[in-house]
Amino acid sequence: MLAAMNLLPFEPQPPYRSRRFVPERIDLGDWNQVAPLFDKLESAAAAPTPAELERWLLDGGELTAALDEESSRRYIAMTCHTDNPEAEKAYLHFVEEIDPRVKPRQFKLARLYLEHPVRVGLERERYFVFDRSAQVQADLFRPENVPLETEEAKLSQQYQKLIGSLTVNFRGEERTLVQMGRYLEETDRPLRQEAWELTARRRLQEAGRIEDVFEQLLKLREKIAANAGFPNYLQYAFKWRGRFDYTPEDCRQFHESIEKEVMPVLRQLQGRRREKLGLNTLRPWDLSVDPSNQPPLRPFEKVESLVANTQEIFTQLDGGLARDFRLMHEKHLLDLENRKGKAPGGYQSTLAESRLPFIFMNAVGIQRDVETILHEAGHAFHALAAREEDLYSYRSAPIEFCEVASMSMELLGNEFLEKFYAPDEARRARRQHLEHVVDIFPWIATVDAFQHWIYSHPGHARAERQRAWLELMDRFGGDVDWSGHESVRANLWHRQLHIFLHPFYYVEYGIAQLGALQVWCNAKKDKGRALQDYHRGLALGGSRPLPELFAAAGCRFDFSRQTVQPLVQMLQSQLDNPGE
Ligand SMILES: [Zn+2]
């Protein structure tokens, strides 16, 4: 079909269920071949019986899955070969020529479905989640918001461009701010300070421009919410993000639980770090270095041993997971090593029609790679667990639960790090990981609470916004000495891209971590049962509301102190004794 398809690391896999609506031979990158299928669906929407309507939904899902997989394959080919212009062209063609034409057609189908007279005859339990999502999509759609959303996307891009363009001259060489990050792990303290100050000053120079972009985004978002009939963007965003199962009030409870239960542990860890480093106060450049001043961990040399050792970890954990991971390896659905011509970062992508996961990484032999493979494998297990589900949208869960699948694997897998390390190194790696779990909660609470404040105070002044941020830094920042760098602290949120690009999208990670910690605690008591529950939750895909997905996985969907406290206690006892 397309030359770019030969660039995939794996053989194209057949559909998991043979097609019955989409022709077997079709070029999904050619709109003239795709459009008649949407026409056909529209005219078939007059399905007279509930059974025919269900079949119609499955046909629509088959088409969506085929398009989705085509898009994923092109994306994978491009990220595996960034130096191949054909691959880039093939992907961009899909994004520019197919996606925008598909969206309005799908919206039309959703409306036909919602207005369908026999829809009430469908089993309510089965379609409850599907219907509420379709309804929200239809309710929120306003044609006058379409150009505002385009404007919002352009402004977001401006922020990204601005941040991405920043460089500093460090010891005679020009470096990006991302490249500067690694100096914060150096054991040479004056070097760390120099690198940190240089980077912070460079960001601060752009503070005015960053605030300007943000205020334009803020105005647009308030307008979008008003157009859709909401009193503020906070309430609009909760609907738009499909947060059916928790409220802004629940998030405030989450912030409170973090403040009361996690902050004391964070302070204790910071105190220990300060003592170990032999310092009077912790400065912002002392937070990433190994507190015992040891060189970075080296878990593996070659990617083959990353795969083999990870395989052994899953064998220790569970036969089913071991089988799933082996399948991925055998089918070449793992592209892990860093090499020239690969896009940066890592991701897991699901091939929607063959219902198979693919993992992309840039492993270079650091501890972070081990955490990443465990994390992405969790997402891959999720995709495989939900494979039998035939309704397309039910094969994937909301992000709050997807990340339970992945973060649980980080925690469970980290118990077997001896596959990669000598015992004392394994303890060090485990400790690093668990410290990071503690660290991230207060930051998530800060970023989330800040956005709650911003979007419920329309018309606020820049200085008021800064005050609100500083109050949160007092609440969640812990014991770090910022003297001489007060303005850096006051503008720290400028570096959190979600606030600019994906408003309100961040607390999901905190919610999911609460779930993952529960799976981990369950496994400490009864590993077999915890993994059985984990699999049961994953197998539900996105077919049930969040509280039910959590419950199936053996967790409570609850942000109260009562839920958080035992999890933090477990973290603390493991941090005191990371050998267990
Ligand atoms: Zn993830």
Side-chain angles (χ1 to χ4, degrees):
M1 192 166 30
L2 247 152
M5 292 304 105
N6 302 330
L7 300 172
L8 289 171
F10 48 86
E11 291 292 312
Q13 299 291 317
Y16 188 62
R17 302 243 193 266
S18 12
R19 288 179 180 173
R20 49 174 206 196
F21 175 70
V22 179
E24 261 181 63
R25 294 189 162 275
I26 181 174
D27 180 356
L28 292 159
D30 177 2
W31 181 247
N32 291 325
Q33 296 183 46
V34 174
L37 295 174
F38 279 103
D39 298 340
K40 222 165 140 183
L41 282 168
E42 277 176 30
S43 52
T49 67
E52 279 167 312
L53 184 62
E54 282 188 291
R55 194 189 163 110
W56 178 81
L57 284 176
L58 292 176
D59 287 347
E62 186 185 305
L63 175 57
T64 308
L67 288 163
D68 182 340
E69 176 152 342
E70 180 69 22
S71 169
S72 301
R73 286 185 189 185
R74 289 175 188 229
Y75 182 75
I76 292 167
M78 176 181 73
T79 52
C80 290
H81 303 274
T82 50
D83 44 7
N84 185 310
E86 278 298 303
E88 189 187 1
K89 219 173 97 191
Y91 177 69
L92 287 180
H93 172 81
F94 203 86
V95 169
E96 286 164 7
E97 302 298 325
I98 307 299
D99 272 345
R101 291 185 166 92
V102 165
K103 272 178 199 147
R105 301 300 298 259
Q106 279 175 334
F107 179 71
K108 174 102 187 275
L109 293 179
R111 243 189 22 234
L112 285 170
Y113 168 73
L114 285 169
E115 289 160 4
H116 205 288
V118 307
R119 182 168 69 93
V120 290
L122 298 184
E123 195 196 328
R124 186 168 156 71
E125 176 85 352
R126 167 73 177 155
Y127 289 97
F128 173 68
V129 170
F130 186 86
D131 287 7
R132 67 179 187 178
S133 300
Q135 193 66 53
V136 154
Q137 266 181 30
D139 288 351
L140 292 190
F141 184 75
R142 295 288 184 285
E144 65 269 32
N145 275 345
V146 175
L148 299 183
E149 281 158 5
T150 310
E151 187 66 20
E152 190 188 7
K154 276 193 202 149
L155 278 166
S156 302
Q157 205 190 5
Q158 251 184 49
Y159 165 83
Q160 269 181 306
K161 235 175 112 177
L162 172 62
I163 296 291
S165 72
L166 301 184
T167 58
V168 290
N169 195 300
F170 185 60
R171 306 199 161 175
E173 270 191 76
E174 190 184 25
R175 293 181 196 276
T176 66
L177 301 196
V178 177
Q179 287 168 340
M180 291 301 288
R182 71 179 192 87
Y183 294 108
L184 297 178
E185 292 172 25
E186 291 285 338
T187 53
D188 177 350
R189 197 179 189 216
L191 176 110
R192 286 204 305 272
Q193 178 174 357
E194 187 188 337
W196 185 89
E197 286 179 338
L198 196 61
T199 311
R201 261 202 306 275
R202 185 67 196 89
R203 269 210 192 85
L204 215 47
Q205 282 169 5
E206 303 302 329
R209 280 168 72 193
I210 294 173
E211 293 274 342
D212 288 344
V213 171
F214 185 71
E215 281 168 6
Q216 291 179 59
L217 280 166
L218 194 57
K219 275 206 199 80
L220 274 174
R221 286 170 188 163
E222 282 168 359
K223 186 101 180 57
I224 287 170
N227 284 345
F230 288 83
N232 60 39
Y233 187 76
L234 171 84
Q235 293 191 25
Y236 171 84
F238 265 68
K239 275 253 167 186
W240 177 69
R241 292 213 168 273
R243 293 181 175 178
F244 300 99
D245 305 313
Y246 59 103
T247 62
E249 184 48 49
D250 292 325
C251 291
R252 282 191 283 275
Q253 189 189 34
F254 174 78
H255 309 153
E256 168 111 6
S257 300
I258 301 303
E259 183 179 14
K260 298 278 162 38
E261 301 297 337
V262 179
M263 285 313 293
V265 183
L266 177 74
R267 290 205 153 87
Q268 204 182 60
L269 288 175
Q270 288 175 332
R272 258 190 237 168
R273 163 175 287 271
R274 185 175 52 71
E275 279 167 27
K276 269 191 153 176
L277 288 169
L279 304 171
N280 292 326
T281 58
L282 271 187
R283 309 296 321 253
W285 47 86
D286 296 324
L287 305 176
S288 305
V289 64
D290 181 82
S292 336
N293 270 333
Q294 295 194 62
L297 292 160
R298 293 270 166 227
F300 58 92
E301 286 290 331
K302 290 202 157 58
V303 90
E304 289 79 41
S305 40
L306 173 64
V307 174
N309 295 344
T310 306
Q311 180 68 57
E312 277 190 48
I313 289 180
F314 291 133
T315 303
Q316 296 273 317
L317 268 176
D318 178 76
L321 301 182
R323 208 168 42 240
D324 285 353
F325 193 72
R326 193 169 304 115
L327 170 101
M328 294 189 69
H329 182 44
E330 283 166 2
K331 288 191 180 293
H332 304 285
L333 295 163
L334 305 170
D335 189 337
L336 308 181
E337 82 275 4
N338 171 263
R339 59 168 187 269
K340 197 166 165 285
K342 253 175 108 168
Y347 63 83
Q348 183 272 330
S349 168
T350 301
L351 301 160
E353 202 181 17
S354 51
R355 305 188 192 175
L356 284 169
F358 169 75
I359 297 178
F360 176 96
M361 269 177 67
N362 278 284
V364 290
I366 55 174
Q367 164 59 17
R368 181 92 203 107
D369 295 333
V370 178
E371 287 165 21
T372 304
I373 184 83
L374 292 169
H375 181 101
E376 302 304 343
H379 286 309
F381 297 148
H382 206 172
L384 288 169
R387 237 182 151 189
E388 296 302 318
E389 171 63 62
D390 284 327
L391 197 59
Y392 167 79
S393 68
Y394 279 2
R395 281 202 293 279
S396 50
I399 187 95
E400 291 89 343
F401 191 68
C402 287
E403 297 296 327
V404 174
S406 55
M407 291 170 163
S408 297
M409 275 306 122
E410 284 186 54
L411 287 161
L412 295 175
N414 266 4
E415 314 239 323
F416 302 100
L417 285 179
E418 279 77 1
K419 302 279 173 216
F420 285 96
Y421 297 113
D424 57 325
E425 290 176 328
R427 274 195 294 277
R428 210 176 119 204
R430 257 197 291 279
R431 170 182 285 280
Q432 253 178 38
H433 177 245
L434 297 181
E435 279 187 8
H436 186 65
V437 172
V438 175
D439 282 351
I440 194 75
F441 273 122
W443 181 249
I444 291 173
T446 312
V447 169
D448 191 53
F450 185 51
Q451 298 190 84
H452 279 254
W453 186 92
I454 288 176
Y455 294 107
S456 53
H457 289 79
H460 65 259
R462 202 173 277 196
E464 290 176 286
R465 181 161 69 240
Q466 191 170 90
R467 252 198 317 277
W469 173 257
L470 284 171
E471 270 173 35
L472 290 166
M473 284 298 290
D474 288 342
R475 225 176 131 192
F476 295 111
D479 300 323
V480 179
D481 176 5
W482 288 84
S483 50
H485 296 291
E486 287 77 6
S487 48
V488 178
R489 182 172 183 254
N491 291 292
L492 212 57
W493 62 275
H494 287 177
R495 62 165 70 179
Q496 187 61 53
L497 128 164
H498 294 72
I499 298 175
F500 296 82
L501 269 53
H502 314 289
F504 283 104
Y505 171 40
Y506 208 52
V507 73
E508 285 86 344
Y509 290 98
I511 294 171
Q513 190 66 272
L514 292 182
L517 287 169
Q518 290 180 73
V519 172
W520 184 56
C521 285
N522 293 344
K524 296 265 180 211
K525 286 176 219 131
D526 182 344
K527 197 170 76 177
R529 174 148 182 223
L531 280 156
Q532 220 172 19
D533 289 348
Y534 171 82
H535 188 267
R536 183 168 0 139
L538 266 54
L540 289 173
S543 65
R544 304 304 309 153
L546 279 171
E548 288 182 42
L549 297 178
F550 272 64
C555 317
R556 289 201 296 167
F557 185 72
D558 173 71
F559 316 154
S560 69
R561 287 181 68 178
Q562 288 88 320
T563 297
V564 174
Q565 192 188 46
L567 305 177
V568 173
Q569 266 169 9
M570 176 64 95
L571 272 171
Q572 199 165 20
S573 77
Q574 294 291 305
L575 275 163
D576 289 340
N577 190 359
E580 273 174 31

